[in-house]
Amino acid sequence: MSLLTYREPGKDGYFLLMLSPKDDISEKELVNKDIVFVLDTSGSMAEEGKIDKARKALLFGVKTLRDGDRFNIINFAGEEHLMERSLIAANADGKKRGEEFINKLEAMAERISTIHLSLR
């Protein structure tokens, strides 16, 4: 555990608390996780290969899930879209479906709303 603090005289302060598990965790100490990955797929992600980097990181996250874990993926670009309506088992089939979903994700062009006024 690490704690960093900062405070200017007469002002509220800030802190950063970092907790990490021990290095030597046994298999029986591990617990199953429910994880929801969230990915921005707005137009800004098309710049400088951001979507490709994010897609690779998300693929890594899904591939490293354990069999007892469950997951889902939400992508958003003004609206959010769920991969599936509920959590997915991180077994071989679930991971395959996750990878297929991730590989289809693209940065969306920004939608521009127009308002038409009629003057009389």
Side-chain angles (χ1 to χ4, degrees):
M1 176 171 71
S2 299
L3 177 65
L4 300 171
T5 62
Y6 176 78
R7 186 171 75 93
E8 292 182 27
K11 294 186 178 181
D12 291 337
Y14 302 91
F15 72 91
L16 170 65
L17 176 65
M18 294 184 285
L19 300 171
S20 60
K22 60 184 180 179
D23 292 337
D24 57 342
I25 297 174
S26 69
E27 276 294 312
K28 65 181 179 181
E29 290 179 288
L30 293 173
V31 295
N32 296 332
K33 302 174 293 300
D34 289 345
I35 298 178
V36 178
F37 297 99
V38 180
L39 181 66
D40 178 0
T41 54
S42 66
S44 65
M45 291 297 288
E47 301 168 8
E48 302 171 12
K50 290 179 186 176
I51 193 72
D52 295 327
K53 292 174 189 170
R55 193 182 303 112
K56 285 178 188 175
L58 188 52
L59 283 167
F60 176 80
V62 169
K63 287 178 182 178
T64 57
L65 292 171
R66 298 168 27 93
D67 281 343
D69 297 337
R70 299 183 308 167
F71 75 100
N72 205 339
I73 301 169
I74 300 173
N75 71 296
F76 68 93
E79 298 177 354
E80 62 279 343
H81 302 277
L82 282 167
M83 178 182 150
E84 295 196 9
R85 298 183 96 183
S86 60
L87 292 169
I88 303 152
N91 56 24
D93 179 58
K95 288 181 184 181
K96 181 181 177 193
R97 291 189 345 248
E99 290 173 25
E100 290 170 355
F101 180 82
I102 293 165
N103 286 324
K104 292 177 184 174
L105 293 174
E106 294 292 332
M108 305 287 185
E110 300 291 333
R111 291 184 182 168
I112 300 173
S113 298
T114 57
I115 299 172
H116 299 279
L117 299 174
S118 63
L119 301 173
R120 294 185 186 166

